[in-house]
Amino acid sequence: MADDFMSEITCRQADAFMREHGVSALPIDLPSLCNRLNIGLHQSTNMDGPPGMLIHERGTFVIAYATNTGNKGFENFCIAHELGHYHLPGHVEALFKTGTVHESKSGFVSDSKYEREADNFAASLLMPRDLFKNAIPNADAGMSAIQTLSAQFTTSLLATTIRYTNLTDDPIAMIVSTKNTIDYCFMSPSLKEIKGLDWIRKNSPLPRASATFTFNQDPEKITTCQTVENSSDLSEWFGSKKEIEINEDVVGLGKSGKTLTLLYGIELPDEDDIDEDELHESWTPRFRR
């Protein structure tokens, strides 16, 4: 709940930032925005360096961002993340206490309050809530919808999927995994409301019967960003005794070595069609892992 509250505050701050600087057209023209703010942009091809840095020296700001991925959406998110550090209250003071360079850990992978706030700011800046929600119904379903929205907003698949999961009305979940382990998971608000589910925890093992587990056994599929559309069972992921077929789309995230999974098409039983004992039995978590 605390993360949800903080995300909402950051979303409003991003909206206010856009209004203040006259940002209204999509996709967001980040170089022009940085130019208006007198923030320099520097492209970095360092394969081992951080994806983004904010440099603050003698009152001047410069954003350095990695271009070695060849992913324009990822580059945009890195720039927007640094703009979050530049704009959000308390960030400059906290991040430049002992130096002039802040190396960011963007992409929702850090437990740092400041990094997560900057991630939320970036997502809200690049994918404004109202515009994004209005685009969802016209974007098909599953990974196809993510790819459509990613192209429309010029954002990475990962950032688009997280935004989609947070704003869709459908019960869905997205999982990022490495080899046989779940790195983290986001669940949509409607999925969180379902009682009796064993929530997917970070660092837990992938279900061995899942398409994701099979996909992750072939590193080439990940590095070449291949996609697989398959089906799975709700019980494999969420510990329900009720067997409900769901859709499982999987895509490799390239050089990161990680995999993105989208679980959707979750059609729950109508409570009016089953008696109370059956309902209790069907949604009793198994906690198998």
Side-chain angles (χ1 to χ4, degrees):
M1 291 297 293
D3 273 354
D4 291 343
F5 180 66
M6 188 61 65
S7 177
E8 180 63 29
I9 292 176
T10 308
C11 178
R12 292 176 183 174
Q13 291 169 323
D15 289 343
F17 178 81
M18 294 174 67
R19 291 193 299 270
E20 178 183 355
H21 298 288
V23 178
S24 58
L26 291 175
I28 307 299
D29 188 343
L30 292 174
S32 294
L33 176 59
C34 288
N35 185 57
R36 292 201 300 273
L37 294 169
N38 293 318
I39 298 175
L41 281 178
H42 174 72
Q43 297 182 357
S44 172
T45 57
N46 183 0
M47 297 291 290
D48 299 320
M53 295 188 296
L54 184 62
I55 304 165
H56 181 213
E57 188 172 12
R58 299 177 183 177
T60 299
F61 288 90
V62 174
I63 292 174
Y65 63 99
T67 58
N68 55 285
T69 64
N71 185 326
K72 185 63 177 177
F74 178 77
E75 294 174 14
N76 284 344
F77 193 87
C78 290
I79 296 172
H81 177 97
E82 302 310 328
L83 283 173
H85 286 319
Y86 164 83
H87 174 73
L88 292 171
H91 280 231
V92 170
E93 294 79 3
L95 301 179
F96 295 101
K97 285 182 178 179
T98 59
T100 60
V101 177
H102 171 69
E103 297 183 354
S104 289
K105 295 181 180 179
S106 60
F108 299 90
V109 297
S110 174
D111 293 328
S112 163
K113 166 182 178 289
Y114 298 105
E115 300 300 342
R116 293 193 70 82
E117 284 183 354
D119 279 337
N120 286 323
F121 180 92
S124 300
L125 177 65
L126 297 173
M127 296 169 280
R129 180 192 299 271
D130 291 343
L131 293 175
F132 196 86
K133 282 184 70 71
N134 290 339
I136 288 177
N138 301 319
D140 200 9
M143 201 60 71
S144 175
I146 302 301
Q147 291 167 339
T148 297
L149 293 167
S150 174
Q152 182 176 347
F153 289 85
T154 319
T155 47
S156 67
L157 283 181
L158 180 57
T160 307
T161 307
I162 293 174
R163 191 66 165 157
Y164 179 84
T165 303
N166 287 334
L167 295 181
T168 184
D169 294 329
D170 296 331
I172 70 168
M174 62 146 289
I175 298 100
V176 173
S177 61
T178 304
K179 296 184 178 178
N180 301 333
T181 302
I182 293 171
D183 295 336
Y184 58 88
C185 168
F186 285 95
M187 300 166 65
S188 67
S190 57
L191 186 60
K192 290 179 181 178
E193 292 175 358
I194 299 172
K195 296 180 180 180
L197 295 184
D198 181 11
W199 284 25
I200 300 173
R201 305 294 181 182
K202 65 187 300 185
N203 297 324
S204 59
L206 280 169
R208 295 185 68 87
S210 66
T212 304
F213 183 91
T214 302
F215 185 93
N216 283 4
Q217 306 314 302
D218 187 346
E220 185 178 357
K221 290 183 177 180
I222 299 173
T223 56
T224 57
C225 303
Q226 295 185 37
T227 302
V228 170
E229 297 180 1
N230 212 315
S231 62
S232 188
D233 195 282
L234 189 73
S235 63
E236 290 295 330
W237 291 95
F238 298 101
S240 166
K241 288 186 177 180
K242 187 72 173 181
E243 294 184 358
I244 297 177
E245 185 175 354
I246 60 177
N247 295 309
E248 179 183 352
D249 288 0
V250 188
V251 61
L253 294 178
K255 297 177 182 178
S256 70
K258 298 182 182 298
T259 296
L260 172 63
T261 300
L262 188 67
L263 305 177
Y264 66 103
I266 302 173
E267 297 182 5
L268 303 175
D270 189 339
E271 294 186 17
D272 294 333
D273 294 338
I274 53 180
D275 61 37
E276 185 175 346
D277 290 339
E278 183 182 355
L279 182 65
H280 180 270
E281 171 67 15
S282 65
W283 290 103
T284 300
R286 291 188 288 174
F287 301 101
R288 300 186 306 115
R289 297 188 294 274

